[in-house]
Amino acid sequence: MFASVLSQEEPKKVIHALKDPSCIKAMQEELLHFKLQEVWTLVELPNRKRAIDTKWVFKNKKDERGIVIKNKVRLVAQGYTQEEWIDYDEVFAPVARIEAIRLFLAYASFKDFVVYQKDVKSAFLYGIIEEEIYRGKIDKTLFIRRDKGDILLVQVYVDDIIFGSTKKSLFNAFEKLMHEKFQMNYMGELTFFLVKQKNDGIFISQDKYVAEILKKFRFTEVKTASTPMETQKPLLKDEDGEEVDVYLYRSMIGSLMYLTSSRPDIMFAICACARYQVNPKVSHLHDVKRIFKYLKDRKSTTGGCQFLGCRLISWQCKKQTVVANSKTKAEYVAASSCCNGYSQKDKKQGQNQTKPSIGMERA
């Protein structure tokens, strides 16, 4: 019902947006924030000076199900027409690394508290800071407040903020302070990093993003690949090879790099292909396409590791032999494969061993 009153299409031009009531409302809200924050003062254009043009940017924000939950509109200056130290001086936007986000979520799961999110309505309008800010030496985007044995964590990702606390009063105080000082939207539990918070832990999934990039680069109707890259054919510079569209190649690499946030199995293949972004050849594009074909393969990856006490001594990772229709089924396949594999391994080792001597025990 909520999505039915929002625009489902992202306008490409202002003339199209002006025909959509939801887009007009979002544009009016953007201009209102400019007025409230005193972003600019209208003056006469000086002689022999050229004004910097502006541009409306339209973007629909979707939830993990792909449903439009917000029509976002931004009025921005055209950056390529500006000159540093003339039109602007220092520009800074705190962006948390994905490793920091994962560490944040791991700690939240360990401490068993829920992570929430806030969205700043006008990210770059709060530029003047009179207060002195103390940031950490390692992560400039993480803010911590301790109260005896409890803790409040706040992580900033441009115009999105995630936060959580082991103490309800700390959480309420922070939420109230942000609401009073800034124009923000309270978004509820964290979902924008494709995070799912459950009773048994916090999970990161980019399944929806995989479907989007497969559709974007037209890999929805191709044969799948069982591995992200060929094991027998090394990736070389190929100076005499035929050149390909460098912008397409870089776009594909960029889309895949974002996916490594939750897919370490393709990290090596992507990094190998990324080395040739300056002058990509047909052979390099072929290897990038193979990664996409690998992503289309719906077979899950079975992974396992064995510990002796708290020491890691063995691990494995391989594709499952069947296609699972659900994550639960994939987990059962992985557990069955793991147990079967090690029972066969133990049986084989037992055939090669002699009977233990008296007074010795088998581990």
Side-chain angles (χ1 to χ4, degrees):
M1 184 180 297
F2 178 69
S4 64
V5 299
L6 297 174
S7 175
Q8 302 299 308
E9 298 292 334
E10 295 178 358
K12 301 299 182 182
K13 298 181 180 180
V14 178
I15 189 174
H16 299 150
L18 293 177
K19 298 179 181 179
D20 192 324
S22 59
C23 290
I24 294 175
K25 181 180 179 181
M27 295 167 71
Q28 291 174 339
E29 290 180 352
E30 177 75 354
L31 294 176
L32 178 60
H33 295 319
F34 277 39
K35 181 179 180 180
L36 294 176
Q37 300 301 325
E38 301 179 354
V39 174
W40 57 40
T41 301
L42 293 178
V43 297
E44 294 292 334
L45 183 67
N47 293 330
R48 299 181 180 179
K49 297 295 181 179
R50 177 175 56 85
I52 297 175
D53 294 332
T54 57
K55 180 181 179 180
W56 286 101
V57 179
F58 305 92
K59 186 70 175 179
N60 289 340
K61 196 167 186 177
K62 301 179 181 179
D63 61 9
E64 67 276 7
R65 299 168 297 172
I67 298 176
V68 178
I69 58 175
K70 183 181 180 182
N71 296 137
K72 297 185 68 173
V73 178
R74 293 287 183 263
L75 180 61
V76 300
Q78 294 182 352
Y80 60 87
T81 63
Q82 302 181 57
E83 296 184 33
E84 189 175 5
W85 303 116
I86 296 179
D87 301 309
Y88 66 94
D89 45 19
E90 182 181 3
V91 178
F92 175 76
V95 180
R97 296 184 59 178
I98 190 62
E99 293 84 1
I101 299 296
R102 284 200 293 259
L103 183 60
F104 186 106
L105 297 176
Y107 187 80
S109 178
F110 174 72
K111 286 293 187 179
D112 194 25
F113 63 78
V114 179
V115 182
Y116 296 87
Q117 66 185 93
K118 273 183 170 292
D119 174 63
V120 183
K121 291 183 178 180
S122 299
F124 302 102
L125 304 187
Y126 304 98
I128 301 176
I129 301 178
E130 299 178 353
E131 297 81 7
E132 189 171 1
I133 302 297
Y134 296 91
R135 295 181 184 269
K137 295 181 179 179
I138 299 177
D139 190 348
K140 309 292 185 181
T141 66
L142 179 65
F143 299 85
I144 303 173
R145 180 179 179 182
R146 293 183 176 88
D147 183 13
K148 297 181 180 179
D150 292 294
I151 189 172
L152 169 70
L153 297 178
V154 180
Q155 190 106 44
V156 180
Y157 191 91
V158 189
D159 60 343
D160 289 291
I161 298 176
I162 63 174
F163 61 100
S165 176
T166 57
K167 189 176 182 180
K168 188 66 175 178
S169 59
L170 286 176
F171 170 87
N172 291 336
F174 174 77
E175 203 282 327
K176 181 180 179 181
L177 177 64
M178 291 296 101
H179 181 73
E180 293 176 350
K181 292 289 185 179
F182 305 104
Q183 293 287 327
M184 289 188 171
N185 291 321
Y186 178 67
M187 307 296 290
E189 293 188 14
L190 174 63
T191 58
F192 80 94
F193 277 104
L194 303 180
V195 172
K196 296 180 180 179
Q197 302 184 71
K198 301 181 180 180
N199 294 332
D200 55 343
I202 300 177
F203 303 88
I204 300 178
S205 173
Q206 291 182 288
D207 294 342
K208 175 177 168 290
Y209 178 73
V210 170
E212 289 178 353
I213 62 175
L214 288 175
K215 181 179 179 180
K216 176 181 178 181
F217 296 105
R218 301 179 181 179
F219 283 92
T220 55
E221 301 295 334
V222 297
K223 293 183 178 180
T224 61
S226 58
T227 58
M229 66 185 306
E230 297 183 23
T231 56
Q232 303 297 328
K233 184 180 178 181
L235 191 60
L236 303 176
K237 195 172 183 179
D238 194 12
E239 295 182 353
D240 299 327
E242 182 183 350
E243 295 184 355
V244 296
D245 186 351
V246 64
Y247 298 104
L248 173 64
Y249 189 87
R250 292 175 182 175
S251 178
M252 296 173 74
I253 290 293
S255 299
L256 292 172
M257 288 297 292
Y258 178 70
L259 188 58
T260 58
S261 302
S262 62
R263 294 292 298 268
D265 53 328
I266 60 176
M267 174 70 81
F268 179 82
I270 295 174
C271 290
C273 295
R275 300 172 186 171
Y276 306 100
Q277 294 185 78
V278 176
N279 190 22
K281 307 294 184 179
V282 171
S283 59
H284 305 142
L285 182 61
H286 172 77
D287 288 311
V288 174
K289 289 181 177 180
R290 184 183 178 91
I291 301 176
F292 279 90
K293 293 177 182 179
Y294 170 78
L295 294 175
K296 188 177 181 295
D297 191 349
R298 295 180 58 236
K299 293 181 180 179
S300 301
T301 301
T302 295
C305 53
Q306 293 75 42
F307 291 83
L308 179 61
C310 60
R311 272 72 176 178
L312 179 64
I313 59 173
S314 178
W315 57 89
Q316 66 171 355
C317 182
K318 65 177 181 179
K319 273 284 185 180
Q320 293 179 359
T321 58
V322 298
V323 175
N325 296 324
S326 66
K327 293 183 178 180
T328 302
K329 183 178 179 181
E331 292 172 356
Y332 277 115
V333 172
S336 175
S337 176
C338 183
C339 294
N340 180 64
Y342 280 94
S343 63
Q344 295 292 335
K345 180 180 178 180
D346 294 339
K347 182 179 180 180
K348 183 176 181 181
Q349 290 178 345
Q351 293 174 350
N352 297 330
Q353 292 178 352
T354 58
K355 185 177 181 180
S357 303
I358 298 176
M360 297 180 62
E361 294 183 355
R362 294 186 64 188

